Amino acid sequence: MTDTAIPAPATGAAPAAGGGSTMADSAATQAFRERIARIDAQAEETAAARQHAKGKQTARERIDALLDEGTFLEIGRYTGSGAGAKARPSGVVTGFGQVDGRQVAVYSQDFSVSGGALGSVEGDKIVGLLDDALRLRIPVVGLIDSGGAKIQEGVGALRQYGRIFNRTCAASGLVPQISVILGPCAGGAVYSPALTDFVIATREASHMFVTGPDVVRAVTGESISAEDLGGARVHGSVSGVVHYVAEDEADALDQVRTLLAYLPSSAELEAPLYEYTPADREEDAASAARVGTLVPASTRQAYDVVDVVSAIVDHGELVQVQEEYAPNVVVGFACFEGHPVGIVANQPLVDAGTLDTAASEKLARFVRFCDAFGLPVVTLVDVPGYRPGAEQEHAGIIRRGAKVINAYATATVPLVTVILRKAYGGAYIVMGSKAIGADLNFCWPGAEIAVLGAAGAVGIIHRRELAAVRAESGDEAAAAEQERLTAAYTDAVINPDKAVAIGEIDAVIAPEETRGVIAESLAALRAKRGARAGSRKKHDNVPL
C-alpha cells in the first residue's frame, strides 16, 4: 500500500495530529491577528497624523530610523491594557535592537498617546527596560517627547520619575546612556536626561525647562518664549545641558550612532577596535607631518586647535562633545590606529584658550566619562592660565577648577599629554600634568612652561629696577630694559629644559612626530589597569 502525502496548510505550518485545526489557523489566532493589526494600524495612523503635521516622526518611526533594519524587539507593547478587545498602546515604546550590530536598549515616548505623559504603566516599562539593560550590560537610548507626568495619577506618576532616576544613577558609569530630546521635556522629567552621559536635542522642536514660560510669567512677571527659556540653542551654548544640537531628527539619531561607535557596551568591556590598514597609516602619517605648519610660533597668535587634532588622529575624524558650550576648550572622541580615545585640548581661537568655570566643568566631566568607560585621554595643552576677574572668582572658579584636578588625579586610564606652545601656572598643573598623574608627557621645542609668562614675570620680579630706569632715563629706556630682561628670563626659565631635567616632561618632540609618539605611547600603556578591587565600576558619571 502506498502512503498518500497530506498537503501542509497554506501557512507553512505542520499538520496537527489527527488532521484537525492547528494553532496557526485556529479561530483565536485568526481573531488575534485581525484585532492586533487593526489596533496597531489605527494607533500608527493617529500618531502619524499628529506628529507629521508638526514635522516630527512617530515613536516607532524614530526607533526604526535609529536601529539596524529588522532588529527591533518590542517589549510590553500592551502592558496595562492586555492584548484582548481593550488593547491599546501606552505612552512609551520599549524594547531592544541593534546599532551597527551591537545590542542596545531603547525607549521612545509617544506624544500621540496622551501627550506622551508618564504614568504608572509608562514608568514601569521604562524602569523594567533600565533593569534589563543593567543585567545585560548594554547601552540605553531614550527618545524623549513628553508633556510630563500624568496629572490624574498624582504622586503615583511622580513616584515613577523617582524610580527612573534611581535606575539611571545605578547605570551611570556602568553602561553608556544617551538621551535624545525630540519635543517637550519639562518639570521633574528634565532630570532623567540630565543624569545620562550625553543629551542630544533638535534645534527647532525640543525644549527643556524645570518651570515653563507660563509659570515663569505668573511667578516672576517675566515674559519669555519656550525657545528662549529652554530651547536647544540655549542649552547647547549657555547652560551646557545639551551636548549636541541637531539640525533635525535624522541628524540627532545619526549622532547617537556616531557616539556609540566610540564607546564600549559597558564599563566591563573594551571599546570597539576598528580595522587600520598600512594604507591608512601611510595616509595619516602624511597628514600628521604638516601639523607644525598649523600652529604659529608666536604664543600670542591664535589658531584653531581642531585643525591640529584633525591632523594627528585617524582619518582626520574628531567627534566633538559640547561644541557650542565653553568653546575655549575642545573635547571629543577620535581614534589612533583604530583605538578610540578621548581628546581634550585648549582652544587658542577662543579667549586664548584660558580656563574658566564652564570650561573646567566641561573638561572634568568628559575626563571622568572617559575614565569610567576605559577610554584613554590625550590632552593637547596651549593654555595661558585661568581667566582672571571678579566674575570668575564669584562664579566659583576655585571649586569648579578643582573638579579638573579630581578628574585627572583619579583617572586610571592611560593619560598622554602634549604641550604645544605654552602652559602657565595652575592651568599647567591641571591640564594633565605629570605631577597630577599623567603617564607620559611631551612638549614641542620652545614650549613655555612656567608660573607666569615672561613679560608678566619680569614685570613682577624687576618692578623696582624698571621703575628706576624709567625715572632716570625715560620710558624708552625702560621698555628696552624690559625687553632685555624678558629675553633673558625666557632663555633661562621658560624653555622646557628644566621640566625635562626634573622629569615633568618625558621628551621634547618635533611637531611632525606628535601622532607617532602618541600612538606609540598609547600602545605602551594599553595594559594599564586601574579599576578598584571588588568593584564592577569605577565611579558614577555625575553631572558636575
Side-chain angles (χ1 to χ4, degrees), residues 48-292:
R50 294 179 179 177
Q51 292 292 87
H52 292 177
K54 303 173 186 176
K56 297 160 66 175
Q57 293 181 298
T58 69
R60 287 183 171 80
E61 286 173 341
R62 289 164 173 167
I63 290 175
D64 289 341
L66 170 67
L67 301 178
D68 299 346
E69 185 177 358
T71 64
F72 182 54
L73 172 65
E74 185 170 354
I75 302 298
R77 185 163 191 168
Y78 298 108
T79 299
S81 67
K86 295 183 179 180
R88 68 182 190 279
S90 65
V92 65
V93 181
T94 56
F96 306 98
Q98 295 180 12
V99 174
D100 293 331
R102 295 167 58 201
Q103 202 72 14
V104 300
V106 60
Y107 69 88
S108 181
Q109 293 179 316
D110 190 345
F111 197 82
S112 70
V113 179
S114 303
L118 185 134
S120 58
V121 170
E122 291 77 15
D124 284 345
K125 290 179 69 173
I126 295 175
V127 168
L129 185 76
L130 293 173
D131 285 340
D132 286 338
L134 278 167
R135 287 190 301 104
L136 300 172
R137 298 294 195 262
I138 58 176
V140 180
V141 180
L143 309 180
I144 313 297
D145 189 1
S146 170
K150 285 186 176 178
I151 299 174
Q152 59 268 37
E153 291 195 23
V155 70
L158 297 178
R159 167 180 175 269
Q160 296 290 19
Y161 278 121
R163 297 177 68 216
I164 293 171
F165 299 163
N166 176 276
R167 300 310 195 280
T168 303
C169 290
S172 183
L174 187 55
V175 296
Q177 300 178 88
I178 302 175
S179 298
V180 188
I181 315 301
L182 300 167
C185 182
V190 297
Y191 292 109
S192 179
L195 287 165
T196 60
D197 299 306
F198 301 105
V199 179
I200 299 167
T202 51
R203 189 176 297 279
E204 300 297 333
S206 63
H207 299 99
M208 298 177 71
F209 30 65
V210 176
T211 53
D214 293 339
V215 176
V216 170
R217 187 179 304 109
V219 175
T220 71
E222 178 184 7
S223 181
I224 188 170
S225 68
E227 177 65 26
D228 290 337
L229 180 62
R233 176 185 56 81
V234 170
H235 287 308
S237 61
V238 180
S239 73
V241 171
V242 169
H243 297 81
Y244 181 77
V245 179
E247 293 303 320
D248 51 30
E249 293 193 7
D251 184 29
L253 298 177
D254 186 59
Q255 184 69 3
V256 174
R257 290 189 291 270
T258 299
L259 285 173
L260 288 174
Y262 289 89
L263 308 179
S265 291
S266 80
E268 300 167 333
L269 300 176
E270 298 289 335
L273 174 62
Y274 295 99
E275 181 181 7
Y276 194 74
T277 66
D280 293 330
R281 184 173 288 105
E282 184 176 346
E283 183 178 342
D284 288 335
S287 175
R290 66 181 181 86
V291 68

